[in-house]
Amino acid sequence: MFEDYRGVWVFIEQNEGEIEGVSLELLGAGRKLADKLSVPLSGVLLGHDVKGLCPEIISYGADQVFVVDHPVLKDYRTESYMKGVIQLAEKFKPEIFLYGATPNGKDLASAVATDLSTGLTADTTMLDVDLDNRLLEASRPAFGGNIMATILCKKHRPQMATVRPKVMKALEKDNSRVGKIIEEEIFLQEEDMRTKVLKIVKDITKKARLTDAHVVVAGGKGMGDLQGFQLIHELAETIGATVGGTRDVVEAGWLPHEQQVGQTGETITPKIYFAIGISGAIQHIVGMKNSEFIIAINKDPNAPIFDVATYGIVGDAIEIVPKLIEQFKVM
Ligand code: FAD
């Protein structure tokens, strides 16, 4: 009965006409799955006045794009987006359907999975397929990160997963790729919506989210205490960076969990990553090792963080960081 379900789909999340990075990463991951299964890769795009994004979606690896364009879809709402996605899924029956593990992606995927009575693996960090059984193998850390669990959806279709940003790689953009654009009509009326978007409040801190930041200043227990950790904030402020930290500092209450880098936090790939007073435990390293430049400051010359660092400073962070701040201020 699953023979009717074919194709790998990626939900393309867009914000005010800009595609979220995770959707491009998922097109890269989806391309590999689709090639293994010998099926097309489709992008699923909802919004208002968004058709112009289709060539970009194709240039990142999609064979085709399903577009639902409607004024009611201008801003994300569970109700309206769910309706559009379900209409498409019921009509075209994808075998695998991937979403970014963003707030909206998680919200939509769980609502769609419930409506379609299928399974959903949340917060996946690895994807593969068992070709013999055409099963998606979605792996994610479980039991506080102590094991990697591979979750299969054997009895229902589509097989769905949300995937963490920054763990998959987008393909190189290739404008010569050709693909199909399939426009789907939907009946939606503003009066039928049970929720309304009254106002969108932008983050006034102007700080990039940890996963989007080009420069991250991360601190560890080596900063001593909450007061010492203020130096991390000060350095970040001076150079316009985003603050990150280890699980130990989050557990100490010096930072909120959203700022945690590592296996049970965020996986990030900034251009510059400062690791200050961080020992370099494997659970931390997995979340930041692909940063372009890693600058480590630690008073222990044998700290494992130096094994992944591009530049290392051996010394007391409480003395070094104020000097760095001073230097950056005069630059
Ligand atoms: P420590 O390991 O205590 O290191 C402090 C470092 O600071 C030391 O290297 C010390 O030499 C240095 N130092 C001390 N004083 C100074 C000074 N004045 N100047 C300069 N250097 C100084 N951790 C994460 O970060 N992210 C995760 O997602 C994560 N997930 C985990 C999941 C599981 C299942 C488990 C078991 C652990 C996880 N951990 C995670 C915890 C991880 O194992 C480490 O305990 C943690 O990363 C250590 O944090 P730290 O480097 O801040 O502290």
Side-chain angles (χ1 to χ4, degrees), residues 21-22 25 100-102 106 123-124 163-168 209 211-212 266-268:
V22 66
E25 292 157 21
T102 58
K106 288 182 192 179
D123 251 348
T124 307
V163 182
R164 273 200 203 185
K166 302 285 179 186
V167 294
M168 305 288 165
R209 274 185 300 181
T211 48
D212 296 332
E266 299 288 355
T267 304
I268 58 172

Side-chain angles (χ1 to χ4, degrees), residues 45-46 51 66-71 73 83-88 91-92 182-188:
L45 176 66
L46 276 73
K51 279 179 225 162
F66 293 103
V67 201
V68 186
D69 201 304
H70 195 287
L73 296 170
K83 204 167 172 189
V85 167
I86 286 167
Q87 180 173 314
L88 288 171
K91 184 165 171 189
F92 297 100
I182 302 158
E183 291 184 42
E184 188 69 8
E185 297 286 326
I186 187 167
F187 180 73
L188 283 172

